[in-house]
Amino acid sequence: MAKTDDLQAWRSFIVFARSGTLTAAAKALETEPSSISRAISGLERTLGVELIRHGVRPLVLTDAGRMAHKRMETILRAHDSLMDALKDDNSTLERSEERRVGKECCV
């Protein structure tokens, strides 16, 4: 069961919402459509609300799904930006530390 803080499940939902099909979302995430479906179903069970309208083709987002898509896409972008910034900061810190240690050993 997906927990509401499962970023990978939310990422699956967002990619589905953008692409419009489980198959396209699965292709984009290099997984199987059943994995995307399970991730979304897990979110729906945990939240107690449908994010997509089941039983209709093509699958469409519910009102709750549209709201979740809009808000979670922003959250995931912010998360990705933070991760990139931390990685960049860490690389900068590591290079700075290497220079500092290099100077200490040779002074």
Side-chain angles (χ1 to χ4, degrees), residues 11-106:
R11 207 170 294 283
S12 294
F13 169 72
I14 294 301
V15 173
F16 163 77
R18 277 192 219 138
S19 66
T21 69
L22 295 172
T23 301
K27 185 174 182 179
L29 293 173
E30 299 179 348
T31 190
E32 297 297 318
S34 60
S35 295
I36 303 297
S37 180
R38 279 193 303 275
I40 295 170
S41 293
L43 289 170
E44 290 176 324
R45 273 192 310 277
T46 302
L47 294 167
V49 65
E50 284 191 343
L51 298 171
I52 60 174
R53 193 159 322 285
H54 301 273
V56 298
R57 296 292 181 259
L59 295 172
V60 294
L61 298 179
T62 62
D63 289 342
R66 283 190 293 281
M67 180 179 63
H69 173 245
K70 181 179 179 182
R71 292 185 180 185
M72 192 49 112
E73 192 165 42
T74 301
I75 290 167
L76 288 175
R77 260 196 312 266
H79 173 267
D80 293 346
S81 177
L82 172 61
M83 295 301 106
D84 290 344
L86 290 172
K87 288 176 188 173
D88 289 346
D89 286 350
N90 190 43
S91 294
T92 301
L93 289 172
E94 286 175 356
R95 284 192 303 274
S96 176
E97 181 66 16
E98 288 169 3
R99 283 193 296 269
R100 187 185 66 74
V101 170
K103 286 179 183 176
E104 286 178 358
C105 79
C106 302

